[in-house]
Amino acid sequence: MIGALLLSTLVAGALSCGLPTYAPHLPRVVGGEDASPNSWPWQVSLQYSSSGEWRHTCGGSLVDPSWVLTAAHCISSSRTYRVVLGRQSLSTDEPGSLAVAVSKFVIHSDWNSDQLSNGNDIALLKLASTVTLTDKIQLGCLPPAGSILPNNFVCYVTGWGRLQTNGALPDILQQGELLVVDYATCSQPSWWGSTVKTNMICAGGDGVISSCNGDSGGPLNCQAADGQWEVHGVVSFGSSLGCNYYRKPSVFTRVSNYNDWINSVIANN
């Protein structure tokens, strides 16, 4: 009976993810735009303590009431972190938003900060207290294990990263439409070449819209046929030539390659 109860709870949880109470407004806008308030309710701001202040460093996605998915390169063992949830403006203590301490982080064992192009740029953050889901704080869905998005599939990157190369950091959560670039294209020499691996997703590369510094760890949101939004990617890296460089699309850790790892970390910690 306990097993049956656990199973029913997990199924119910899976069905409740990826369906924001406040639907995102999704026109195609050059360079990205302000997101509608609370329309990406699994988006978090990962912040670290510095000289008595909390500073945004990366994004992340709430994938379980106690766990946030982010990028391994966002994490330093020397820093103290917290996660801010349910927020549109980073400078405003908005009603319904929360700030929760990070009690533990688990970085993928095959991540190597000196070999970014090997991939495995993925980490999970355990929250010090379990979050109660609301209309402003909800779970992002994991995609089906092993799923590969087709070329030109429409997705959205979200975050508080810089608006352009060396540009300002926005106060309001941004969203930008990115088209998936399949591996066969992205691995061509005139694109990313051998830097890109099959455990990654490329999206963008039009020279206009991309992720940028401060978006790392945040989600690539892609809508399934049933209307649910799935976190298909974790922002990993972009070109040293600039954030919006032509044929250098944003590169994401492909979440569907890590379902077993994610589920194992959550179950065993």
Side-chain angles (χ1 to χ4, degrees), residues 16-40:
S16 66
C17 66
L19 293 171
T21 302
Y22 308 102
H25 180 56
L26 302 174
R28 182 173 172 83
V29 175
V30 172
E33 62 171 342
D34 290 357
S36 299
N38 307 117
S39 58
W40 306 105

Side-chain angles (χ1 to χ4, degrees), residues 181-189 191-194 196 201-203 249-251:
V181 180
D182 63 14
Y183 175 75
T185 302
C186 199
S187 60
Q188 291 178 8
W191 289 69
W192 271 111
S194 61
V196 165
I201 299 176
C202 299
S250 303
V251 182

Side-chain angles (χ1 to χ4, degrees), residues 81-97:
Y81 292 100
R82 73 173 188 178
V83 163
V84 174
L85 310 100
R87 194 69 69 85
Q88 165 83 345
S89 163
L90 289 182
S91 66
T92 306
D93 188 12
E94 296 166 348
S97 65

